[in-house]
Amino acid sequence: MAEDPQRNFRSAYYEKVGFRGVEEKKSLEILLKDNPLDVEKLCTFSQRFPLPSMYRIHVWKVLLGILPPHSESHALVAGYRREQYADVLEALQVMRFLHAATPQVEVYLRVFQLEAQELPRSSELSPPEEQDEDFLAIAKAMEEIVDDPVDCYWLIKCFVNQFNSRFGDSIPHLPKSLEHYLSLEDGRLLAHLRSCGALRRLPYGLWFRRCFAGCFPESSLQRVWDKVISGSCKILVFVAVEVLLSYKIMLMGMSKPDAIVHFLSSMPQENTDAIVTKAIDLWHKYCGTPMHSV
């Protein structure tokens, strides 16, 4: 489809005067008026632009299959989702898996486990298993983004299920992908991390299995999750690369792997918006920018 010169002029003007994203917001509003919604176009939009905060949760629900493409069914389906959550919650309370002091993220975990038929056989209240920590980290981050507990649960559940089913086989290969792109961006930093033994010990679980949950504040994290939910796990690699590039001076001054891993696992959070912006630019640089037309 040919580019619209008038639209390009308006976009350039809006960006020049400080209203970057005005045209993109209008484009998304047009897409959201489609009935049925075009999920592929919504994915492409989310890959290309950050989602406006006022529409983010709604778009996530559609992309994750929580809401169907047909808008007239949204209220009915949302009601079913709410009833299902309430029924499972009540069942867990009857079975004494939950009590008044159970943390909300653990509530989400138990609901998830019961629905997946993975609830522990014993009804004794015990701390979550180690393999549940990734789920809890994502749940805690989602809880900061989404106010309604029913919406929050369904977003956690569908995010985790989609991520594991779509990208589960790719996750083990992401560290090698990070090494490749870091070699293109800064071979000296890569050589330092490799020579001091830190490269194989980087916090890949935090970065890739948890999609940076617990690493970035939610304001930055949700921009990364826009890309993951709309179909790219490779964005995680470029965020990790940009983290390393952003703290190159500090990392080059460290020689002990433990110190490097500790720093990267609890890095400062005041610079994360810039890191995500640069990471998205890097991702587009190597992977291209998806085309989008309304």
Side-chain angles (χ1 to χ4, degrees), residues 1-12 23 292-293:
M1 182 177 181
E3 292 188 358
D4 181 352
Q6 185 178 358
R7 183 187 185 282
N8 290 342
F9 171 79
R10 288 200 305 268
S11 296
E23 284 289 285
H292 170 74
S293 60

Side-chain angles (χ1 to χ4, degrees), residues 23-53:
E23 284 289 285
E24 285 71 23
K25 180 173 176 285
K26 289 180 179 178
S27 296
L28 179 58
E29 288 172 347
I30 292 171
L31 289 176
L32 292 175
K33 289 178 182 177
D34 286 346
N35 192 14
L37 295 169
D38 191 321
V39 176
E40 185 177 346
K41 282 187 177 181
L42 287 173
C43 281
T44 304
F45 182 95
S46 302
Q47 294 272 296
R48 191 171 183 188
F49 307 113
L51 289 169
S53 57

Side-chain angles (χ1 to χ4, degrees), residues 52-68:
S53 57
M54 64 187 297
Y55 296 121
R56 175 172 277 117
I57 301 307
H58 182 68
V59 173
W60 282 7
K61 286 182 186 178
V62 173
L63 297 186
L64 290 170
I66 299 167
L67 292 177

